[in-house]
Amino acid sequence: MPVSASILADSAALLPDLIALRRTLHAQPEAGFALPRTQRTVLNAMASLDLEVTPGPHDFTSIVAVLRGTRPGPTVLLRADMDALRVTEETGLPFASQTPGLMHACGHDLHTAALVGAAKLLSAHRDEIAGSVVFMFEPGEEAGGGAQRLISEGVLTGVEAAYGIHVLPGRAGVFTTRPGPVMAGASSLTVRVLGRSGHGSRPHQAVDPVPAAAQIISALHTYVTRRFPVFDPVVLSVTKMHASEIINAIPDEATLGATIRALSPESVETLSRELPSLTDGIASAFGCRAETEFKSVYPVTSNDPKAATHALNVLGDLFGAERAVPLEHPIMASESFSAVLNEVPGAFIFLGTTPEGENADTAEMNHSPRAVFDDNVLADQSAALASLALSHVHHP
């Protein structure tokens, strides 16, 4: 039997176990860098495999597992993120989160289960592997990124190619990616507008920071539309605002926060240089002072052009060309896998998971408390990861 047919048959047989694992993970979400139950569940799921496993410590519960082939050759890395979001689930699913205030709203439970599946599939083909496969289970992707710490600990040593797959709304089972930028870089902006407090009935005796903050919010949204070309887009959304604790008092300060997404390092550099001047100038016009912090969180996720084309070819051969489709435009969300792709060539791929009967165009997006993913894709997701690895290390 050709290896591709064997991978598909074996992954189909694994599907019930993968769905059960995903639903266990979904019901017991953990957020941040410390995910002890998640780590334990994944380690148990891979306990029967002959892997070199390095679990992270209690405050950074990563898992790095290495499958050594029977012959020397290149090393390829496959990655999954394991953490949940601080979101209260509203799906009504029978396996919904049992932890108040936490939910796998971004599909990381599918990513984790699929990578376990890929480890099982590749272990069954160890005799045909010339080289090694690294399985990287990352905590804290939503919390600032565990990828950077794993890189600093040497997870990419000797790695020649890296792949990850992320679930999104879309026709279930369809894979998509593109050469070059595939996801935006993320930055955060925090502004404290400092004035002088007073009674709400006598604003002339105070220095009110609220109107200054309101003007800053308006100016920020206008700034990005006038400063950056539409073909190198920047998205800025002010998502936090806080001022007085009581309705009849003018506060000493007003604070606001924004998330910013950009597709080029040049745009990030411009934002970091110009935004503090903009906020300070507006605050000064109102007699206030602004303290502004701009922080780059994730760089742009940029696929190696050859690796992206290679991935589409591998997946097209495996599932059919209609299920491996070029992505027309980058997605303005951000990813810690960007740190991996900054170091080694590889590709980040999206997989549609909208359940049958739902409109993919109107389905709840990742991070929604009502986001639902069709976990019947897990067999193909595991097969895709395994096949991408085998495309580098297979030796019949």
Side-chain angles (χ1 to χ4, degrees):
M1 179 185 293
V3 67
S4 59
S6 175
I7 288 289
L8 289 175
D10 292 348
S11 65
L14 283 177
L15 181 59
D17 289 342
L18 297 179
I19 289 176
L21 173 59
R22 179 261 165 154
R23 295 184 178 186
T24 295
L25 294 169
H26 191 90
Q28 56 175 42
E30 296 173 296
F33 295 101
L35 320 172
R37 287 182 303 175
T38 302
Q39 185 189 55
R40 185 165 56 251
T41 299
V42 173
L43 290 172
N44 289 341
M46 298 193 300
S48 64
L49 305 180
D50 185 13
L51 304 173
E52 298 174 11
V53 179
T54 304
H58 67 91
D59 60 343
F60 184 76
T61 51
S62 60
I63 302 170
V64 176
V66 182
L67 173 64
R68 304 289 183 192
T70 55
R71 281 165 280 190
T75 299
V76 61
L77 179 142
L78 303 175
R79 173 270 200 167
D81 38 12
M82 300 190 293
D83 56 319
L85 284 157
R86 300 189 186 282
V87 170
T88 298
E89 184 161 357
E90 299 176 11
T91 63
L93 291 169
F95 53 90
S97 170
Q98 298 172 10
T99 307
L102 295 181
M103 176 190 174
H104 271 294
C106 200
H108 295 186
D109 49 341
L110 278 84
H111 304 168
T112 301
L115 190 56
V116 170
K120 292 184 176 184
L121 293 172
L122 290 167
S123 293
H125 288 269
R126 179 192 299 275
D127 290 345
E128 303 167 48
I129 291 177
S132 300
V133 183
V134 178
F135 305 96
M136 169 181 157
F137 294 87
E138 174 191 356
E141 193 279 332
E142 302 285 359
Q148 291 88 338
R149 175 163 168 176
L150 283 163
I151 291 169
S152 71
E153 292 175 352
V155 72
L156 296 181
T157 301
V159 170
E160 297 180 21
Y163 297 96
I165 295 177
H166 201 300
V167 297
L168 285 177
R171 186 160 68 89
V174 175
F175 298 87
T176 183
T177 194
R178 69 191 302 273
V182 68
M183 296 185 76
S187 302
S188 66
L189 180 74
T190 304
V191 184
R192 294 178 64 212
V193 183
L194 306 176
R196 188 175 69 250
S197 61
H199 198 282
S201 67
R202 302 176 70 83
H204 58 286
Q205 293 181 335
V207 179
D208 192 347
V210 175
Q215 287 296 318
I216 287 171
I217 291 171
S218 179
L220 287 172
H221 289 147
T222 301
Y223 163 82
V224 295
T225 68
R226 294 295 179 266
R227 190 67 181 87
F228 299 95
V230 294
F231 299 109
D232 185 16
V234 171
V235 175
L236 185 152
S237 296
V238 176
T239 54
K240 295 173 65 177
M241 174 68 190
H242 182 264
S244 180
E245 298 290 347
I246 55 176
I247 199 167
N248 61 349
I250 293 170
D252 277 320
E253 67 179 68
T255 60
L256 59 97
T259 183
I260 308 168
R261 309 301 166 107
L263 288 175
S264 70
E266 293 78 14
S267 292
V268 176
E269 195 281 327
T270 298
L271 289 159
S272 67
R273 185 180 68 253
E274 294 185 357
L275 287 180
S277 298
L278 175 69
T279 57
D280 190 58
I282 294 171
S284 296
F286 283 80
C288 298
R289 180 169 57 88
E291 294 181 352
T292 303
E293 179 185 18
F294 180 92
K295 184 166 69 172
S296 179
V297 181
Y298 292 142
V300 176
T301 304
S302 190
N303 285 342
D304 176 79
K306 290 183 179 179
T309 301
H310 174 72
L312 287 172
N313 289 337
V314 169
L315 298 177
D317 290 343
L318 187 65
F319 299 111
E322 72 282 359
R323 289 182 54 194
V325 182
L327 180 68
E328 187 175 0
H329 303 295
I331 293 173
M332 297 306 288
S334 305
E335 243 293 337
S336 69
F337 196 65
S338 55
V340 173
L341 294 181
N342 272 354
E343 300 293 331
V344 298
F348 199 58
I349 301 148
F350 301 111
L351 172 60
T353 52
T354 298
E356 185 177 356
E358 291 194 21
N359 186 337
D361 294 330
T362 58
E364 296 279 348
M365 186 59 181
N366 298 43
H367 290 220
S368 165
R370 295 170 297 280
V372 177
F373 307 94
D374 183 355
D375 50 20
N376 285 297
V377 304
L378 282 168
D380 288 347
Q381 190 174 356
S382 295
L385 288 166
S387 296
L388 288 167
L390 284 173
S391 71
H392 292 269
V393 300
H394 182 242
H395 193 290

